[in-house]
Structures are given as structure tokens and as C-alpha cells.
């Protein structure tokens, strides 16, 4: 039996922050650091074996940036569709919103008692399910925004 393909890892350049966030919502591993210049981004992407996502044609001309996808559209939904189609990504609808939208770290379940001490009082009163980011410490819960985000994502993934 052949070994499974390693999970896809991406690196979005500074122009693609919204794309990085949407892909993270789909549980795709996307590094994003707008403070990096092109040589630093390429160096990190190569070291971490990530596909570079960019709208900058000059960045794709760098010798070390061979593993890239040039994003054609300025519309985020079209960008997501291009990444999914051209890189063969099939998001699992059951795995939406499993990554920190800020730092890309996979989220972990968090005890409600522990979370209640760290969230706004109205959230503590109305929510029972929490997840936390071990990378940056943010806490997530399924508020009303989650259903809107899921609907948006489901339209993007078809």
C-alpha cells in the first residue's frame, strides 16, 4: 500500500491575508506573515515545504519559488476556488473552523469551566462548547457568526 500524500501546506504572501483566513476556516494549513519581504517568504516556504500563494508575478520568477500558485483574481471567493481546484484540495465540511484564524494552529477542545473565566460574561452564560488555540491563546465558541461563516464556506466549496 503506498504511503499517503503529506498534507498540503501553503504560504500566502502579504497581498493574500483574506485568502489565508478563508483557507484556514476550511482547515487548510496556511502560513501568513505580512511583515516578511519576498526573499524571507521564499526561504521559509522552501524550508517548510509549502506552496507559495501569490498575486505577484515577480515573486514567481525567483529561482527558489518554483513551488507556487499565481492567484489570478482579486475576489476572495474566486481565489479560494482556484486554490481548491488547482491544488486538488477537497475540504471536509465536518472539519470547518478547526484552525486558529490568526496564527494557523489547530484548535483544541477546552473545558467550559476554564473558558468561562476568560470570555465575556454573556458568552459564559450562553455557551457550553469552547476551543482554544495553543499557539496564541485565543478562545473560540460557536456564536451566531459561526453559522454565517459555515454558509459562506459551503458556498465556496460547492
Amino acid at each position: 500500500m503506498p504511503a499517503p500524500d503529506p498534507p498540503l501546506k501553503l504560504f500566502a504572501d502579504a497581498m493574500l491575508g483574506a485568502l489565508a483566513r478563508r483557507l484556514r476556516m476550511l482547515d487548510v494549513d496556511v502560513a501568513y506573515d505580512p511583515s516578511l519581504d519576498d526573499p524571507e517568504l521564499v526561504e521559509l516556504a522552501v524550508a517548510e515545504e509549502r506552496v507559495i500563494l501569490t498575486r505577484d508575478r515577480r515573486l514567481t520568477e525567483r529561482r527558489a519559488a518554483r513551488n507556487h500558485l499565481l492567484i489570478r483574481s482579486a475576489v476572495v471567493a474566486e481565489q479560494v476556488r482556484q486554490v481548491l481546484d488547482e491544488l486538488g484540495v477537497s475540504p471536509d465540511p465536518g472539519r470547518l473552523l478547526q484552525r486558529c484564524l490568526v496564527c494557523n494552529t489547530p484548535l483544541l477542545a477546552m473545558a467550559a469551566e476554564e473558558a468561562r473565566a476568560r470570555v465575556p460574561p454573556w458568552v459564559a452564560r450562553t455557551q457550553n462548547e469552547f476551543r482554544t488555540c495553543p499557539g496564541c491563546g485565543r478562545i473560540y465558541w460557536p456564536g451566531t457568526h459561526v453559522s454565517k461563516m459555515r454558509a459562506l464556506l459551503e458556498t465556496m466549496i460547492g
Side-chain angles (χ1 to χ4, degrees), residues 4-111:
D5 290 333
L8 181 65
K9 299 188 310 182
L10 308 173
F11 206 125
D13 76 4
M15 294 186 283
L16 297 173
L19 173 61
R21 188 174 169 90
R22 293 297 192 295
L23 291 171
R24 288 174 179 173
M25 289 177 185
L26 296 171
D27 196 31
V28 176
D29 181 350
V30 185
Y32 173 73
D33 184 345
S35 70
L36 298 177
D37 62 18
D38 287 355
E40 292 170 314
L41 183 149
V42 170
E43 183 180 332
L44 270 173
V46 169
E48 296 176 7
E49 299 180 347
R50 293 180 179 273
V51 175
I52 298 168
L53 304 177
T54 185
R55 296 202 66 223
D56 180 355
R57 188 167 301 280
R58 288 191 14 220
L59 190 146
T60 66
E61 293 168 356
R62 291 177 171 275
R63 187 179 316 230
R66 284 189 198 103
N67 197 11
H68 69 268
L69 177 60
L70 183 63
I71 302 297
R72 294 181 296 270
S73 178
V75 178
V76 177
E78 292 173 9
Q79 294 173 348
V80 170
R81 189 78 257 154
Q82 180 187 355
V83 171
L84 299 181
D85 290 347
E86 293 188 25
L87 297 180
V89 178
S90 298
D92 177 352
R95 298 250 342 130
L96 301 179
L97 305 171
Q98 298 294 312
R99 265 180 200 282
C100 179
L101 302 180
V102 176
C103 76
N104 194 43
T105 305
L107 301 175
L108 301 174
M110 180 180 207

